[in-house]
Amino acid sequence: VPGAVCSITVATKDRLAVLADPVLAEKTTELIRGHARRRAVPVHAFCVMPDHVHLVLEPGPSCDVIRFVGELKNLCQRLAWERGFGGRIWQTSFWDHFLRADEELRVVVAYVLNNPVRKGLVSEWREHRYSGSLTMDM
């Protein structure tokens, strides 16, 4: 549905910390930014964690949420193979939650951006190099 905002969590296979590799985390961050731009998909928040990725996004004019996430997983999988990781790195599916009318987008974005703080990786979300928003100043 155009304009529907969806919060997505994509987990690595067996929750292995594949994305703890700083080069792969950086390339995944660049991939999210570039793929969102190419597909005209509004990404309100993203956060690359060691064993999962959070996205808050809307469908683009010619790319729905499922297609975007599938393409992103595929492209990131190729990056992982280039880095020497063998086999699949992603779980088969992903978790999604479409925001209800009573849920504020800024609150959901802040929750995603603060994930590294809650997990003890950084003391302030801006310190985490692998997260951000492509649509908001936070």
Side-chain angles (χ1 to χ4, degrees):
V1 176
V5 178
C6 189
S7 177
I8 302 282
T9 303
V10 184
T12 59
K13 187 174 184 237
D14 300 325
R15 295 301 286 234
L16 295 175
V18 176
L19 297 167
D21 172 44
V23 173
L24 186 55
E26 183 68 37
K27 288 182 180 249
T28 300
T29 300
E30 293 169 7
L31 181 64
I32 291 168
R33 291 178 183 280
H35 195 57
R37 191 173 40 256
R38 282 188 300 280
R39 292 306 238 147
V41 169
V43 175
H44 302 294
F46 67 91
C47 183
V48 178
M49 297 292 288
D51 64 352
H52 64 283
V53 173
H54 291 285
L55 299 165
V56 178
L57 68 159
E58 296 179 39
S62 63
C63 185
D64 63 32
V65 169
I66 293 171
R67 178 181 303 259
F68 182 84
V69 173
E71 290 172 352
L72 187 66
K73 286 171 67 173
N74 185 289
L75 292 166
C76 188
Q77 176 69 64
R78 293 177 190 191
L79 291 174
W81 288 337
E82 290 172 11
R83 293 282 303 148
F85 292 94
R88 290 184 317 125
I89 65 164
W90 298 112
Q91 286 187 3
T92 303
S93 191
F94 57 87
W95 292 273
D96 59 24
H97 168 73
F98 283 88
L99 275 64
R100 297 180 305 270
D102 64 337
E103 292 180 281
E104 290 186 45
L105 179 58
R106 278 199 169 282
V107 172
V108 175
V109 167
Y111 180 83
V112 166
L113 294 178
N114 277 297
N115 196 260
V117 176
R118 285 190 304 280
K119 297 294 183 179
L121 299 178
V122 294
S123 58
E124 203 272 327
W125 77 265
R126 286 179 178 84
E127 297 170 1
H128 190 65
R129 296 178 42 200
Y130 317 119
S131 61
S133 174
L134 305 183
T135 64
M136 299 180 178
D137 289 328
M138 294 295 292

